[in-house]
Amino acid sequence: MTIHKQHSLSDPVTVLHGVGIRLQEKLERIGINIIEDLLFHLPYRYIDRTVLTPIGTLRFGYNAYIQGEIELTQVRYGKRRTLLCRISDSTGTIALRFFFFSKAQEKGLQRGLSIRCYGQVRRGSNSLEMIHPEYHVLRDVQDDGLEKKLTAVYPITEGLQQTRMRKLNEQALITLNNDKKNMAELLPEKLLAKKKLPTLIDALNYVHRPPPNADTQSLTEGTHPAQQRLAFEELLAQQLSLLELRNELRTEHSPAFNVSTKFVPEYLKSLPFTLTNAQVQAHKTIASDLNKTVAMLRLMQGDVGSGKTVVAALAALQAIEAGYQVAIMAPTELLASQHYNNFLSWLEPLGINVVFLTGKLKQSIRDSVEAQLKKQMPVIVIGTHVLFQDSTRFAKLGLIVIDEQHRFGVHQRLALLEKGKQHDKYPHQLIMTATPIPRTLTMTAYADLDHTVIDELPPNRKAINTSVISNNRREDIIERIKYITAKGRQVYWVCTLIEESETLQCETAIETADKLTERLTLIKVGLIHGRMKANEKESVMQDFKKNKIGLLVATTVIEVGVDVPNASLMIIDNAERFGLSQLHQLRGRIGRGEIKSDCVLMYQSPLGDLAKQRLEIMRTSSDGFLIAEKDLLLRGPGEVLGTRQAGMPEMRVANLIRDAHLLPEIQNTAKKLLINHPDKVKLLIYRWLGKSLSYSNV
Ligand code: ADP
Ligand code: MG
């Protein structure tokens, strides 16, 4: 055991054993600068390596730790080279599949050896499989070598290993327990007692290193009191920061833009349709907000296809006419470029300068765009998060539009406001989301925002007919695709998130595309997934738009915003594994034109009761708000669902759906703290959100 020097929580991570400049840089990338930051870098899940699961009892979809003897290892050459390794114990057999492997790895997996693996159990073509499991070959089969505790899994970044993170965290915990006085308890004692919650220090120790007798189930679900306590504090900090920000903004000034008399009327005249009443209302509200010297901070919610972009364009025109710059930010390159093309075709004829800025652009192009923004010239810039990176400076930013808010965390939103601030004036901010956010959540998670809802779809929309079909009717569906595409229409085939790993999701999509290409010889099958380069995605999307691709196999990268009106059929594979709101978003990709559209929710049978109910809601409703409310209700604990949620800002421990029951108490506590303990308020915000933000002017 090494003797650790006594460090303090506020020391830079470089004082820790094993942290050199390279590691420090990596840590900095994920917001870890001082030792205390390591403690608030919380595990996002746990691996249970305390028990082995007999292979014969494995259930697909679940993660498991297994042990077996290697029966066969071979490289398969097909379209893709794969390494296949079959292992078995006395109860059953499972295949391990690797798409990327070395010669040494292949040699190491010799027949007869015993091996332990951890991974997600999937249904393969002939048997159960694990794809790219973590594994090690056992030297000594007698030694049980099982972990005594749950293993924490941390969010990491490229080039940073879990084991490294765990070791650093170990040192941080030692520091914490030697330097307790510097980890202030900020929650009222009464509250902790009433809610039976542990202190901060106990909670931190617990979640990083759950003891051997820990309640595995509740830890995995995130409902353990230690996690709930941290979630409470995190949500509280967030609530406080939003309230503070709102207060601050009320006292700050923003540039007021006159109601547009030139560009807005011209643009409206150029559109091939008239605005819906809901669009007119939203536009009026926003126009009057922009006309005030108080910063607008408005969330515009509207179902997919309700026409939010047009309303945003109207807001942009008002700012431009007043001589200001507008930044429009989208969550993905694809969506940004789609917006860019729309805005270009709409607004260039009006003589407005529209530019595009993403990280994937050539440096020289980027430089020239950035140079334009530094001039006091009205311009609309559309891009991804690079818009608020350090190198980008705006000379006269008057309005920020954020599309699909849920991909941006709350603190990114705040950082953006800070960034746009000039001469003590904040730009106005309009946030658009298609994800209906249940009212209970808007009250708290978006407490700093005013709300506008576009509750009406353009009149030309045809209802989408949704059906729920078992996976063993795949053949029928393939026939249907042939029929539809023969008529010149197009089809989406969406491979949903089988598990959290994006790589696996891409693998599934690649496999599916291969199979469908074999079956559908008369049409071109395209493929789009998150691992592709932005320009590749862009060109596939363009081909799909131009109807050069008849069937597009996609991962959920198409979830937001993509607009191809000729696509009239969507098949969602493994639909039961998906959140309802996300399904709703996906479904919104069709029914965008004059053609009647169909959505097929395909499930792996057998389907559980809860899953049945959920899919039934999708079949019978097209109301995004209703779907969101039901989704919230039906997400019983224990139901296997992706942990990522649409519509929710990113948080370290809290989960707005799971922890919704804490919200009333959090609102209460926030109010009390603001009145009685402004000092604690600052500390809380700083602890959870504030490190990258400047609150110097608060
Ligand atoms: P979303 O709210 O999902 O962002 P968009 O703004 O992308 O929706 O609009 C979806 C489609 O509907 C676009 O092709 C857009 O041009 C069209 N659209 C918008 N408003 C109307 C309207 N009032 N009448 C007819 N079509 C409209
Ligand atoms: Mg949109």
Side-chain angles (χ1 to χ4, degrees):
M1 174 88 203
T2 17
I3 310 270
H4 289 272
K5 264 215 315 268
Q6 293 263 347
H7 299 308
S8 131
L9 288 170
S10 53
D11 284 341
V13 284
T14 41
V15 305
L16 294 177
H17 184 70
V19 184
I21 182 80
R22 304 249 314 266
L23 183 55
Q24 186 224 328
E25 278 167 11
K26 284 176 194 155
L27 291 169
E28 198 179 321
R29 241 187 276 150
I30 49 177
I32 298 174
N33 299 302
I34 59 172
I35 298 181
E36 184 185 302
D37 296 338
L38 281 166
L39 296 167
F40 285 95
H41 192 70
L42 295 160
Y44 69 101
R45 65 186 176 99
Y46 297 88
I47 300 179
D48 190 351
R49 287 189 177 129
T50 62
V51 286
L52 288 166
T53 307
I55 293 173
T57 67
L58 289 175
R59 292 175 59 196
F60 98 102
Y62 289 83
N63 288 312
Y65 196 37
I66 57 173
Q67 176 174 333
E69 197 181 298
I70 299 178
E71 286 185 340
L72 168 91
T73 297
Q74 63 176 197
V75 179
R76 294 261 172 98
Y77 298 90
K79 277 212 184 74
R80 305 172 50 88
R81 210 168 135 259
T82 52
L83 177 67
L84 210 66
C85 173
R86 205 167 52 228
I87 69 168
S88 65
D89 65 8
S90 58
T91 65
T93 302
I94 187 168
L96 313 179
R97 189 188 286 276
F98 301 88
F99 297 104
F100 309 100
F101 55 94
S102 62
K103 198 82 198 156
Q105 210 175 353
E106 182 192 335
K107 284 231 176 77
L109 293 170
Q110 262 177 39
R111 185 192 159 101
L113 291 175
S114 282
I115 170 175
R116 264 197 199 150
C117 327
Y118 184 88
Q120 195 190 36
V121 181
R122 309 205 336 155
R123 190 174 297 199
S125 36
N126 309 312
S127 68
L128 292 179
E129 305 188 333
M130 279 186 184
I131 294 181
H132 279 260
E134 282 182 42
Y135 71 89
H136 65 273
V137 174
L138 290 181
R139 299 239 157 68
D140 176 4
V141 185
Q142 295 312 312
D143 168 24
D144 88 342
L146 289 170
E147 303 280 342
K148 298 290 182 288
K149 306 176 185 184
L150 290 184
T151 312
V153 184
Y154 294 96
I156 44 176
T157 174
E158 212 168 313
L160 186 64
Q161 271 79 37
Q162 284 297 339
T163 42
R164 189 33 100 49
M165 249 350 263
R166 282 180 206 128
K167 279 189 188 139
L168 290 176
N169 180 268
E170 197 71 54
Q171 296 185 63
L173 284 171
I174 292 171
T175 311
L176 170 68
N177 295 314
N178 286 331
D179 187 25
K180 286 187 176 168
K181 62 176 189 319
N182 278 322
M183 182 62 82
E185 178 60 62
L186 298 173
L187 293 187
E189 235 170 78
K190 266 195 215 146
L191 174 82
L192 295 181
K194 180 172 136 201
K195 293 245 144 202
K196 297 202 175 60
L197 295 172
T199 63
L200 176 65
I201 290 175
D202 288 349
L204 286 172
N205 275 301
Y206 200 100
V207 299
H208 285 295
R209 293 293 172 275
N213 63 351
D215 177 356
T216 309
Q217 173 91 8
S218 70
L219 270 177
T220 306
E221 284 166 5
T223 53
H224 191 281
Q227 289 160 314
Q228 290 281 291
R229 183 239 124 95
L230 295 170
F232 189 100
E233 195 176 310
E234 182 174 32
L235 289 169
L236 177 66
Q238 193 162 66
Q239 176 81 359
L240 288 167
S241 77
L242 296 179
L243 293 174
E244 287 256 276
L245 184 80
R246 193 80 192 121
N247 286 339
E248 187 190 341
L249 285 174
R250 285 218 176 89
T251 64
E252 291 285 338
H253 292 289
S254 288
F257 311 141
N258 287 334
V259 169
S260 159
T261 53
K262 180 173 170 344
F263 288 145
V264 163
E266 276 180 20
Y267 170 62
L268 286 176
K269 230 169 71 195
S270 76
L271 286 176
F273 48 76
T274 50
L275 297 186
T276 62
N277 284 332
Q279 282 172 317
V280 170
Q281 280 313 319
H283 165 54
K284 273 195 186 153
T285 312
I286 292 165
S288 117
D289 281 355
L290 294 177
N291 190 223
K292 295 190 183 117
T293 54
V294 178
M296 171 176 79
L297 203 49
R298 186 168 288 281
L299 180 69
M300 176 163 62
Q301 294 186 66
D303 222 332
V304 274
S306 61
K308 296 181 292 294
T309 319
V310 175
V311 177
L314 293 167
L317 289 173
Q318 191 173 343
I320 292 287
E321 198 166 313
Y324 280 82
Q325 298 173 328
V326 180
I328 300 177
M329 191 162 65
T332 62
E333 302 255 337
L334 189 65
L335 199 56
S337 72
Q338 180 171 295
H339 276 326
Y340 174 64
N341 291 327
N342 276 337
F343 275 76
L344 207 58
S345 69
W346 283 334
L347 305 184
E348 246 194 359
L350 308 184
I352 290 166
N353 189 12
V354 184
V355 298
F356 186 53
L357 186 65
T358 77
K360 302 268 164 77
L361 291 181
K362 266 207 247 139
Q363 193 60 40
S364 56
I365 299 180
R366 222 173 123 171
D367 290 346
S368 90
V369 170
E370 285 176 358
Q372 287 192 60
L373 303 179
K374 286 192 185 109
K375 291 187 199 145
Q376 302 257 344
M377 300 251 287
V379 54
I380 297 181
V381 59
I382 297 170
T384 54
H385 59 280
V386 300
L387 287 176
F388 65 95
Q389 270 169 12
D390 276 348
S391 61
T392 325
R393 294 252 170 274
F394 295 89
K396 219 179 168 190
L397 186 61
L399 171 67
I400 298 169
V401 179
I402 305 180
D403 193 12
E404 304 299 348
Q405 141 77 6
H406 61 276
R407 303 291 173 96
F408 295 104
V410 172
H411 43 295
Q412 282 168 300
R413 191 169 89 217
L414 303 188
L416 198 57
L417 268 184
E418 284 294 326
K419 163 130 211 187
K421 189 174 171 182
Q422 270 144 358
H423 315 300
D424 284 333
K425 290 197 173 177
Y426 279 103
H428 296 280
Q429 204 176 94
L430 176 66
I431 294 152
M432 305 194 277
T433 178
T435 312
I437 306 166
R439 204 174 307 271
T440 40
L441 300 183
T442 38
M443 306 275 293
T444 47
Y446 301 94
D448 59 327
L449 304 175
D450 293 320
H451 296 258
T452 296
V453 177
I454 301 191
D455 53 2
E456 184 186 357
L457 292 181
N460 56 352
R461 295 295 143 73
K462 300 272 188 306
I464 299 167
N465 174 41
T466 301
S467 48
V468 178
I469 288 178
S470 156
N471 176 40
N472 45 39
R473 285 180 54 198
R474 233 162 232 265
E475 283 310 308
D476 298 352
I477 289 167
I478 287 174
E479 287 310 309
R480 178 101 155 264
I481 294 173
K482 288 183 184 163
Y483 177 76
I484 294 273
T485 50
K487 287 181 162 180
R489 312 251 171 82
Q490 290 163 277
V491 183
Y492 286 109
W493 184 297
V494 186
C495 301
T496 57
L497 209 63
I498 305 273
E499 66 155 284
E500 281 168 50
S501 152
E502 191 185 280
T503 314
L504 285 191
Q505 200 193 7
C506 298
E507 285 305 334
T508 313
I510 294 168
E511 258 172 56
T512 307
D514 284 350
K515 282 186 191 145
L516 290 170
T517 306
E518 271 167 33
R519 299 295 316 277
L520 297 161
T521 43
L522 294 178
I523 56 167
K524 178 148 168 50
V525 175
L527 171 66
I528 187 165
H529 61 70
R531 275 297 176 93
M532 286 160 60
K533 296 210 180 80
N535 55 353
E536 293 169 350
K537 283 194 267 188
E538 175 68 25
S539 97
V540 170
M541 240 21 248
Q542 290 304 344
D543 284 354
F544 192 54
K545 272 194 177 174
K546 291 180 193 145
N547 201 354
K548 287 186 188 164
I549 289 174
L551 170 74
L552 182 63
V553 176
T555 58
T556 47
V557 296
I558 60 148
E559 186 184 338
V560 278
V562 181
D563 200 13
V564 181
N566 190 47
S568 67
L569 172 63
M570 173 177 282
I571 293 118
I572 304 181
D573 215 343
N574 289 302
E576 78 282 7
R577 317 216 108 235
F578 227 42
L580 294 189
S581 295
Q582 283 158 302
L583 285 175
H584 181 66
Q585 289 261 314
L586 283 170
R587 189 170 57 179
R589 301 301 111 222
I590 53 171
R592 301 207 132 212
E594 300 285 334
I595 323 159
K596 197 179 149 317
S597 296
D598 294 280
C599 176
V600 176
L601 303 177
M602 198 158 55
Y603 62 86
Q604 295 262 11
S605 49
L607 201 55
D609 278 346
L610 197 52
K612 234 179 233 156
Q613 278 184 51
R614 298 173 76 246
L615 292 185
E616 188 58 17
I617 292 166
M618 291 307 297
R619 198 180 66 76
T620 51
S621 175
S622 59
D623 177 343
F625 281 87
L626 182 108
I627 289 171
E629 297 279 357
K630 295 268 188 187
D631 201 13
L632 193 57
L633 271 177
L634 280 183
R635 280 189 192 210
E639 180 81 344
V640 196
L641 283 170
T643 49
R644 269 183 266 167
Q645 321 146 60
M648 307 303 151
E650 236 171 80
M651 285 177 287
R652 302 181 200 197
V653 262
N655 171 320
L656 273 174
I657 290 181
R658 185 192 64 212
D659 305 330
H661 65 280
L662 298 173
L663 292 174
E665 190 72 53
I666 285 167
Q667 275 182 308
N668 250 336
T669 312
K671 275 189 209 128
K672 283 188 197 144
L673 285 179
L674 279 170
I675 296 168
N676 303 323
H677 297 284
D679 51 324
K680 286 190 179 170
V681 169
K682 284 212 169 58
L683 291 171
L684 275 165
I685 294 174
Y686 185 73
R687 178 181 281 169
W688 288 93
L689 306 147
K691 282 164 202 169
S692 55
L693 290 179
S694 99
Y695 270 85
S696 48
N697 51 342
V698 174

